[in-house]
């Protein structure tokens, strides 16, 4: 009896880490298959190390490329690995190309698929992730919905209730795991000369934002305006996709920005906890801001995390300069007194309990 984790990107490593650690604690056999969709040390190895995960047993070396090339490499190389391993279940998380490839091949081979973070929908068909998550949900045997809202969406789409399990979001578990470690880091003043509550934290990586100079420029202008007006530097750990686009477009970041290499998890969570306001287009960062009690502005047209907006932690502003500035002003004035809608930090344990309960041996 062995189960396989199939993962490939930064958020999957982070959000599957509590589930993997639960397997380790219970001494259950498992294999990690890494597609290597993310491969730069700051997008990959740093998370294995900081989250105390064993090195992947298999590496598919898919790397970067067009969607077709990337998915093609994953599908071709994953099939023989899963055939050889013959796991009793394949566990995937989220909405990336790695998730789609993992769910597709596992289901073709008759291996039950467990989809962690099922039932999220942005209803934005420009996003590759929207198709990936819909397809992964349809291929999955276990739908691990993080919230009651996600369960409602799945029921509305006709998924049988018996397949859906509300577990909470494993990101709460991940944050709890690193909380103490983050507190031991060197203070931000010493590292980057910024102080608690006196900076904006920015992340941008969605292709619909950063692959277009016409969209990216006003987003950066809005952040610069806020930064200047409030005297809050904009700390910006830059995703490698965005590094490439900034260079291609010949954009020099304004002096109010403190650009960093994509940060490891401990440093990033430290930055999140101490930020005055977070401005992002990330899915996971919206959740973490909400859980950590830091107001967030989402520079997108939609969110698949409506719980963050409903509790008052997040505002989805779109990508126009004035709308971002107005939204950020509103969030800067907000008191952080909302309740965390993403669970109690035991999602990983619940997921393993449910998978084990349905075992046949
Ligand atoms: C992918 C996911 C996205 C997720 C994000 C998490 C898909 C379709 N997209 O987007 O849902 O939010 O990961 O961060 O699956 N690059 C590097 N080093 C790396 C990885 C990427 O330099 O380790 C650069 C390459 O130039 C690459 C570009 O980033 O072409 C984009 O990488 P890719 O994995 O295709 O998509 P992401 O934008 O990272
Ligand atoms: N993250 C990180 N370092 C960074 C930026 C983000 O460790 O420099 C973490 C963040 O804490 C969150 C996850 O990466 O847990 C979000 O991943 P990303 O924004 O790449 O993808 P998304 O969640 O949008 O799919």
């Amino acid at each position: 009896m062995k189960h396989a984790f199939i993962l490939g990107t930064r958020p999957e490593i982070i959000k599957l880490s509590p589930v993997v650690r639960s397997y380790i604690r219970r001494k259950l056999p498992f294999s990690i298959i890494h597609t290597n969709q993310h491969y730069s040390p700051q997008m990959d190895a740093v998370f294995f190390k900081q989250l105390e995960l064993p090195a992947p047993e298999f590496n598919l070396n898919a790397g970067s490329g067009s969607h077709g090339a990337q998915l093609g490499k994953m599908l071709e190389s994953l099939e023989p690995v899963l055939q050889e391993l013959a796991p009793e279940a394949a566990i995937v998380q989220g909405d990336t190309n790695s998730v789609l490839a993992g769910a597709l091949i596992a289901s073709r081979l008759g291996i039950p698929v467990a989809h962690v973070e099922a039932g999220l929908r942005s209803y934005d068909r420009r996003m590759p992730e929207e198709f990936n998550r819909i397809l992964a949900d349809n291929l999955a045997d276990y739908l691990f919905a993080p919230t009651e809202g996600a369960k409602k969406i799945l029921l509305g789409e006709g998924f049988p209730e018996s397949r859906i399990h509300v577990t909470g979001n494993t990101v709460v578990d991940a944050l709890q795991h690193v909380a103490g470690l983050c507190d031991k880091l060197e203070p931000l003043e010493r590292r980057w000369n910024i102080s608690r509550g006196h900076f904006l934290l920015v992340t941008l990586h969605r292709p619909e934002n950063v692959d277009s100079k016409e969209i990216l420029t006003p987003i950066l202008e809005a952040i610069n305006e806020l930064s200047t007006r409030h005297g809050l530097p904009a700390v910006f750990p830059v995703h490698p996709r965005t590094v490439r686009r900034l260079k291609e477009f010949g954009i020099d970041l304004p002096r109010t920005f403190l650009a960093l290499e994509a940060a490891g998890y401990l440093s990033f969570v430290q930055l999140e906890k101490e930020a005055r306001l977070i401005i992002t287009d990330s899915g996971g960062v919206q959740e973490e801001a909400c859980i950590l009690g830091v107001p967030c502005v989402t520079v997108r047209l939609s969110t698949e995390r409506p719980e963050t907006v409903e509790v008052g932690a997040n505002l989805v502003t779109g990508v126009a300069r004035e709308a971002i500035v107005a939204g950020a002003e509103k969030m800067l004035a907000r008191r952080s007194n909302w309740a965390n809608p993403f669970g109690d930090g035991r999602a990983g344990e619940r997921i393993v309990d449910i998978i084990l309960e349905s075992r046949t041996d």
Side-chain angles (χ1 to χ4, degrees), residues 194 199-200 202 220-236 253-259:
I194 49 174
F199 62 93
L200 307 172
V202 177
L220 296 174
E221 283 170 358
I223 296 167
N224 185 39
E225 184 178 332
L226 286 159
S227 189
T228 309
R229 184 185 301 165
H230 294 279
L232 300 169
V235 180
F236 185 20
L253 290 170
R255 283 161 52 136
T256 48
F257 279 73
L258 171 60

Side-chain angles (χ1 to χ4, degrees), residues 9-11 37-40 43 64-65 67 70 95-98 128-129 132 205-207 239-241 244:
T9 68
R10 167 166 81 184
Q37 177 171 345
H38 285 176
Y39 46 86
S40 302
M43 298 297 286
S64 304
H67 288 278
Q70 194 177 55
D95 54 20
T96 67
N97 285 347
S98 298
E129 293 84 359
N132 289 346
H205 77 282
R206 298 250 94 88
H239 186 288
R241 172 189 282 277
R244 214 173 86 185

Side-chain angles (χ1 to χ4, degrees), residues 293-358:
V294 180
C296 181
V297 164
T298 297
V299 287
R300 281 176 43 186
L301 307 185
S302 64
T303 181
E304 57 291 308
R305 274 88 177 173
E307 298 85 356
T308 59
V309 178
E310 285 154 17
V311 299
N314 186 17
L315 204 62
V316 181
T317 61
V319 292
R321 176 175 171 160
E322 302 73 30
I324 297 171
V325 172
E329 291 294 357
K330 225 174 179 173
M331 291 310 289
L332 281 167
R334 184 151 297 175
R335 276 186 50 220
S336 310
N337 54 357
W338 53 81
N340 158 28
F342 291 113
D344 58 3
R346 293 201 65 255
E349 296 295 347
R350 268 185 211 108
I351 287 167
V352 183
D353 285 343
I354 293 161
I355 295 178
L356 292 183
E357 269 165 30
S358 57

Side-chain angles (χ1 to χ4, degrees), residues 186-205:
E186 209 183 343
L188 293 178
E189 280 86 354
R190 243 183 286 151
R191 289 180 91 183
W192 292 304
N193 197 24
I194 49 174
S195 48
R196 177 188 284 266
H198 289 283
F199 62 93
L200 307 172
L201 177 63
V202 177
T203 82
L204 298 169
H205 77 282

Side-chain angles (χ1 to χ4, degrees), residues 132-345:
N132 289 346
R133 53 174 90 96
I134 290 171
L135 292 166
D137 283 345
N138 278 275
L139 294 166
D141 300 271
Y142 302 87
L143 294 158
F144 291 120
T147 60
E148 290 293 336
K151 175 176 178 177
K152 205 165 150 206
I153 287 175
L154 291 167
L155 289 175
E157 291 181 11
F159 288 93
E161 190 160 13
S162 57
R163 241 188 272 167
I164 308 168
H165 311 273
V166 179
T167 58
N169 195 311
T170 56
V171 82
V172 180
D173 316 23
L175 284 174
Q176 287 179 0
H177 183 74
V178 299
L181 301 171
C182 294
D183 294 339
K184 289 192 193 119
L185 294 176
E186 209 183 343
L188 293 178
E189 280 86 354
R190 243 183 286 151
R191 289 180 91 183
W192 292 304
N193 197 24
I194 49 174
S195 48
R196 177 188 284 266
H198 289 283
F199 62 93
L200 307 172
L201 177 63
V202 177
T203 82
L204 298 169
H205 77 282
R206 298 250 94 88
E208 59 273 20
N209 283 344
V210 306
D211 287 4
S212 154
K213 189 175 183 183
E214 286 65 44
I215 301 208
L216 181 56
T217 305
I219 296 176
L220 296 174
E221 283 170 358
I223 296 167
N224 185 39
E225 184 178 332
L226 286 159
S227 189
T228 309
R229 184 185 301 165
H230 294 279
L232 300 169
V235 180
F236 185 20
V238 195
H239 186 288
R241 172 189 282 277
T242 312
V243 171
R244 214 173 86 185
R245 294 300 181 226
L246 289 170
K247 205 180 282 169
E248 260 173 43
F249 300 149
I251 297 177
D252 287 323
L253 290 170
R255 283 161 52 136
T256 48
F257 279 73
L258 171 60
L260 308 174
E261 194 185 23
Y265 198 49
L266 301 186
S267 294
F268 191 74
V269 173
Q270 183 190 29
L271 285 166
E272 284 180 317
K273 277 162 74 168
E274 303 203 4
R276 175 76 183 81
L277 175 77
I278 296 179
I279 302 177
T280 191
D281 60 11
S282 158
V285 175
Q286 289 174 64
E287 292 162 351
E288 287 173 346
C290 177
I291 296 160
L292 296 168
V294 180
C296 181
V297 164
T298 297
V299 287
R300 281 176 43 186
L301 307 185
S302 64
T303 181
E304 57 291 308
R305 274 88 177 173
E307 298 85 356
T308 59
V309 178
E310 285 154 17
V311 299
N314 186 17
L315 204 62
V316 181
T317 61
V319 292
R321 176 175 171 160
E322 302 73 30
I324 297 171
V325 172
E329 291 294 357
K330 225 174 179 173
M331 291 310 289
L332 281 167
R334 184 151 297 175
R335 276 186 50 220
S336 310
N337 54 357
W338 53 81
N340 158 28
F342 291 113
D344 58 3

